[in-house]
Amino acid sequence: MVNAAFDIKGLNIWFGQIHALKEVDMDIRPNEILSIIGPSNSGKTTFLRMLNRLNDLHINFRMKGRVMFGRSDINKMDIETLRRKIGMVFALPLPLPLSIFENVAYGVRMHGEKNKNRIAAKVEDALKRGYLWEEVKDRLGESAFKLSGGQQQRLCIARTLAVEPEVILFDEPCSGLDPISTAKVEDAMLKLKEKYTIVLVTNNVKQAARVGDRTAFFLSGELIELDKTDKMFTVPRDKRTDDYISGKFG
């Protein structure tokens, strides 16, 4: 068996009476970009949020099945430890009402680092890995809100990287961005997979094809197909996958 960052067996998720995910069996491999595609209400974002237990915040959430992160059951892990190891970047960039520097330093300080030099070094390193350093290195004291939308999204990526996660979850990270900013975020993802495991939920089928090593197609809460991206986009096994990729529904 291929070494798995996540091993998922018999996953079912309910929100009240709504059965959002149904009997999902799959793995996520280290240092891959797994693209997750599917129409609205297919379960793809529910699946993503499950990986660092954000669904737990929903009052009517219920889950059955086993989700192993390495050798640890995610439901038995300390929630703060889990969310530090599995960071998330959301659809809309959400910078803190602080300077560019302090946005990235915030998480580092929250995890106990007090040495100013080490904090500064971690901020610089995270901004470089988020492909933002060259654009902001002379304006670190400015408000993060002065950045463009694409820059704010890369700042949020840097903020996630600063606390040294193992996995980065991206939930529609380019949905509000122009093509140039989208390309920069995608370039960052492709470089980041050298060190991190990346799970990307996207409504942009072309984006999934551009960056995904493998792609998972969800429909009505079911995992319909999971395969190497180039294979799925040329010879999908399931007609529903082919219909979605070709734009016949969704």
Side-chain angles (χ1 to χ4, degrees), residues 225 227-238 241-242 245:
E225 191 165 344
D227 211 334
K228 291 182 179 179
T229 297
D230 56 357
K231 184 178 178 183
M232 182 182 287
F233 277 75
T234 51
V235 285
R237 296 192 303 269
D238 193 289
T241 309
D242 190 28
I245 288 172

Side-chain angles (χ1 to χ4, degrees), residues 174-175 177-187 204 207 210:
C174 303
S175 61
L177 303 184
D178 61 81
I180 293 174
S181 296
T182 295
K184 288 183 178 180
V185 171
E186 290 177 1
D187 286 345
N204 185 332
Q207 181 175 67
R210 284 194 298 267

Side-chain angles (χ1 to χ4, degrees), residues 14-250:
W14 294 265
F15 296 102
Q17 298 300 312
I18 299 171
H19 197 175
L21 286 176
K22 305 165 187 174
E23 292 298 326
V24 174
D25 294 326
M26 62 183 290
D27 69 330
I28 301 172
R29 299 170 185 172
N31 303 101
E32 77 168 346
I33 299 178
L34 175 67
S35 296
I36 300 179
I37 60 174
S40 297
N41 300 314
S42 62
K44 57 189 187 295
T45 295
T46 295
F47 176 82
L48 191 76
R49 292 168 65 89
M50 172 276 300
L51 294 172
N52 71 349
R53 291 177 53 190
L54 281 176
N55 291 323
D56 294 18
L57 301 172
H58 195 290
I59 193 168
N60 293 316
F61 167 73
R62 184 163 58 94
M63 172 178 156
K64 185 179 80 171
R66 188 188 72 173
V67 180
M68 300 298 292
F69 173 47
R71 296 183 179 180
S72 302
D73 184 331
I74 66 166
N75 289 304
K76 295 178 181 177
M77 291 180 67
D78 172 73
I79 195 72
E80 288 190 10
T81 300
L82 178 70
R83 290 181 183 158
R84 182 179 61 78
K85 290 186 175 184
I86 306 172
M88 190 157 182
V89 177
F90 296 92
L92 293 175
L94 298 170
L96 301 169
L98 300 168
S99 69
I100 295 167
F101 181 92
E102 290 299 332
N103 259 271
V104 183
Y106 180 83
V108 179
R109 289 197 178 97
M110 288 291 288
H111 285 93
E113 183 59 75
K114 294 181 172 60
N115 183 283
K116 290 183 177 180
N117 291 333
R118 283 198 292 267
I119 291 170
K122 289 192 176 212
V123 169
E124 179 176 343
D125 180 61
L127 286 168
K128 285 178 176 176
R129 284 184 286 145
Y131 288 82
L132 188 58
W133 175 253
E134 291 301 323
E135 296 169 45
V136 302
K137 62 183 179 182
D138 297 322
R139 46 191 292 214
L140 295 175
E142 288 185 13
S143 168
F145 294 127
K146 290 187 176 181
L147 297 174
S148 70
Q151 289 173 326
Q152 287 185 14
Q153 191 62 290
R154 282 180 284 143
L155 178 68
C156 291
I157 294 171
R159 191 171 67 202
T160 299
L161 295 173
V163 297
E164 300 176 5
E166 297 174 23
V167 179
I168 309 172
L169 311 177
F170 287 93
D171 186 11
E172 294 284 350
C174 303
S175 61
L177 303 184
D178 61 81
I180 293 174
S181 296
T182 295
K184 288 183 178 180
V185 171
E186 290 177 1
D187 286 345
M189 285 185 207
L190 291 167
K191 292 290 186 183
L192 290 170
K193 77 171 183 177
E194 295 171 8
K195 186 173 181 180
Y196 306 94
T197 299
I198 293 174
V199 186
L200 166 69
V201 162
T202 178
N203 282 327
N204 185 332
V205 173
K206 291 181 180 179
Q207 181 175 67
R210 284 194 298 267
V211 303
D213 296 295
R214 294 190 301 157
T215 296
F217 172 54
F218 281 79
L219 182 65
S220 301
E222 297 181 21
L223 174 62
I224 304 301
E225 191 165 344
L226 171 62
D227 211 334
K228 291 182 179 179
T229 297
D230 56 357
K231 184 178 178 183
M232 182 182 287
F233 277 75
T234 51
V235 285
R237 296 192 303 269
D238 193 289
K239 185 178 184 302
R240 292 168 291 180
T241 309
D242 190 28
D243 286 348
Y244 180 73
I245 288 172
S246 63
K248 292 180 181 176
F249 74 94

